[in-house]
Amino acid sequence: MKTIPLVIFLSYLFSCSPSFADLYRWKVIRVIDGDTIEVEAPFLPKELKLFVRVLGIDTPEKGGRAKCKAEADLAIKASKFTESFFKIFGNKAYFSNIKWDKFGGRVLANVGIEENNLAEELINRGYARAYNGEKKKSWCGK
């Protein structure tokens, strides 16, 4: 029964709010992989978690989702970099340009701390590629 009001609330928050372009600050709880994090969302019931995928990038898949060893190895490096990003700059990140992920269950957002943008940092180090919803390119070479 809590799902319906939650969906209505989140739909309003992520689509109708005139201040939606503003920056939001949430605490990062953990890194899921190079481009996905879990954040503290005090506006949600405690049993629900909010996952944020970094907008505009794709990082390699980890574990069983990796298509080859090279992808799995790079995914570990991307995840470790994202973890270090929050350790170095702090775990209170800003989130902007928030919208629903096409798969549901998580949101997309620009993520950063101070002037440091996580997507740019991952791309600059070769741990991510620009991604805007098109078919993903393989991390396993040609």
Side-chain angles (χ1 to χ4, degrees):
M1 295 301 281
K2 291 182 183 180
T3 304
I4 300 288
L6 176 63
V7 169
I8 292 168
F9 169 74
L10 289 176
S11 295
Y12 174 76
L13 179 67
F14 294 129
S15 64
C16 300
S17 175
S19 64
F20 197 59
D22 293 340
L23 294 179
Y24 293 86
R25 291 216 176 264
W26 296 322
K27 181 180 178 182
V28 175
I29 297 171
R30 68 184 171 119
V31 171
I32 306 302
D33 60 25
D35 60 9
T36 307
I37 56 176
E38 180 184 350
V39 299
E40 187 175 88
F43 52 86
L44 293 177
K46 289 183 183 182
E47 65 272 8
L48 296 176
K49 297 178 179 184
L50 182 60
F51 297 96
V52 178
R53 185 171 186 279
V54 180
L55 183 64
I57 64 167
D58 175 49
T59 59
E61 298 293 339
K62 293 192 322 185
R65 297 188 68 186
K67 304 273 191 284
C68 64
K69 183 173 178 354
E71 180 177 13
D73 292 346
L74 191 57
I76 291 169
K77 291 177 183 176
S79 295
K80 286 183 179 180
F81 175 80
T82 299
E83 289 171 357
S84 69
F85 179 85
F86 292 110
K87 285 179 184 170
I88 292 168
F89 296 112
N91 65 355
K92 196 81 168 187
Y94 72 76
F95 299 84
S96 64
N97 197 19
I98 301 168
K99 54 184 133 186
W100 283 110
D101 180 286
K102 66 183 176 182
F103 301 109
R106 61 184 180 180
V107 296
L108 296 168
N110 291 322
V111 179
I113 299 173
E114 298 172 9
E115 70 279 353
N116 302 292
N117 180 288
L118 180 56
E120 290 175 11
E121 297 292 334
L122 284 162
I123 289 171
N124 290 342
R125 285 166 175 74
Y127 299 136
R129 295 181 181 141
Y131 176 72
N132 293 303
E134 68 279 4
K135 184 177 178 183
K136 293 182 180 181
K137 297 176 186 172
S138 173
W139 289 94
C140 298
K142 295 184 179 187

